[in-house]
Amino acid sequence: MAEQRRDHRDERDAREGAQDVPEGWRRGASAEEAQAWQALVATARRTVADGLVVGTSGNVSVRVGDTVLVTPSGLPYDRLAPDDVTGVDLDGRQVLGTLVPTSELPMHLAVYRTTDARAVVHTHAVHATAVSTLVPELPAIHYMAGALGGPVRVAPYAAYGTDELAENMLHALADRTACLLQNHGTMAYGTTLDQAYDRTAQLEWMCRLWLTASSVPGLSPTLLSPEQVAEAGEKLRRYGQRK
C-alpha cells in the first residue's frame, strides 16, 4: 500500500509540475511523433527488462524534426501510455504533453545540439557505473571500443540534471558515441533508438568484461593498443549488411 501511495504521488507531482508550462507551447502529436513515442516507450521498458535500469533511474529520448520526445520524470515505464507523449523543443520548452520531462533533459538536449544524434539512452547500468568510480577511461579490453569511436572516457562527476554535468558529458563524448558518467552511469547516442540502445548494452558488456578480467588475483588483462582499436573501428564501420 505504501508503494502504491508513493507511485500515485509521483504521478500526481509529475502532472502538477507541468502546469508551469505555458499552454500556448503545447500541441497535439503528429503521426510520426506518436509512432516515435511508441518506440521510445518500448526502448525504455527494454532498459528495465535487461537490467540496465532499476525503477525510473535512467531516461530515453528520440528526436523527430526539431522536437525531442523524452521519458517523463519519476514515472515507471510500464505505466506510460500513448496519451503520455512528452516532448520539448531544442531550447527545452515543452511542446507536447502534460508530464514533466526527465530531470536529465540538459544532457539529452546538449547531445542533440552538438551531434547528429537522433536518439539518446541514459542508464545506471551496474558494471558501467562501477567502472566509472575506478578509472578515468575504460581500459581497451575489447575491440568493440572501436564501435564507440575509441576508448570510452569517464565524464567527471557533477550533480544530476545540471548544466555542469551536461558540459562534462560533452567533453567525454568528443569523437565518441558513448561515455561513462562518474558515480552515475552511461550515456550513448545513435541515429536510431536501436543503435543507441545497442551501444549502451555494448558498453555495459565491456565494463563487465574488464571488471571480470581484472579481478583475477595476480594477473592483469591484456589491453589493445590505440592502433588496434582504431583498426577495429574502421572495420566495424563496414560491418553487416549493406542496403
Side-chain angles (χ1 to χ4, degrees):
M1 290 297 293
E3 183 177 352
Q4 288 180 334
R5 287 195 298 272
R6 183 175 64 252
D7 290 341
H8 287 313
R9 185 172 62 250
D10 290 343
E11 186 167 357
R12 181 197 64 212
D13 291 346
R15 293 185 186 278
E16 289 179 351
Q19 293 174 1
D20 296 332
V21 179
E23 192 68 34
W25 285 106
R26 301 187 205 147
R27 56 175 173 78
S30 68
E32 184 180 7
E33 288 167 340
Q35 185 175 16
W37 175 254
Q38 288 184 318
L40 179 150
V41 171
T43 300
R45 290 173 178 169
R46 188 179 176 191
T47 65
V48 177
D50 290 351
L52 300 177
V53 161
V54 175
T56 61
S57 63
N59 25 78
V60 178
S61 67
V62 62
R63 181 174 177 175
V64 180
D66 289 333
T67 299
V68 176
L69 307 180
V70 294
T71 48
S73 178
L75 290 184
Y77 300 142
D78 60 1
R79 291 192 183 184
L80 295 179
D83 290 343
D84 291 326
V85 59
T86 304
V88 301
D89 64 18
L90 292 173
D91 291 323
R93 292 172 293 206
Q94 189 160 0
V95 295
L96 287 172
T98 60
L99 296 175
V100 176
T102 171
S103 58
E104 298 290 13
L105 188 60
M107 280 203 298
H108 289 258
L109 293 180
V111 173
Y112 291 118
R113 290 172 186 145
T114 57
T115 73
D116 61 354
R118 307 303 293 185
V120 174
V121 175
H122 165 54
T123 78
H124 294 180
V126 173
H127 299 93
T129 304
V131 170
S132 79
T133 71
L134 298 172
V135 292
E137 180 180 277
L138 173 64
I141 190 70
H142 195 273
Y143 68 78
M144 283 302 292
L148 303 179
V152 179
R153 307 183 188 102
V154 179
Y157 180 81
Y160 78 89
T162 61
D163 290 336
E164 182 184 2
L165 177 58
E167 183 176 353
N168 292 348
M169 173 209 66
L170 284 181
H171 287 301
L173 278 178
D175 301 317
R176 303 288 187 270
T177 54
C179 72
L180 298 173
L181 308 172
Q182 189 178 60
N183 296 84
H184 188 154
T186 69
M187 200 69 173
Y189 71 86
T191 57
T192 65
L193 280 165
D194 283 342
Q195 187 179 63
Y197 179 87
D198 289 344
R199 287 171 172 169
T200 301
Q202 189 68 58
L203 177 55
E204 168 67 356
W205 178 83
M206 285 193 295
C207 288
R208 183 178 182 182
L209 175 63
W210 181 71
L211 288 171
T212 301
S214 58
S215 69
V216 179
L219 296 175
S220 297
T222 300
L223 301 177
L224 300 178
S225 69
E227 293 75 20
Q228 289 171 322
V229 173
E231 179 187 25
E234 185 61 33
K235 289 174 67 69
L236 288 165
R237 276 190 283 275
R238 302 189 299 271
Y239 177 78
Q241 301 299 314
R242 304 195 179 188
K243 297 181 180 179

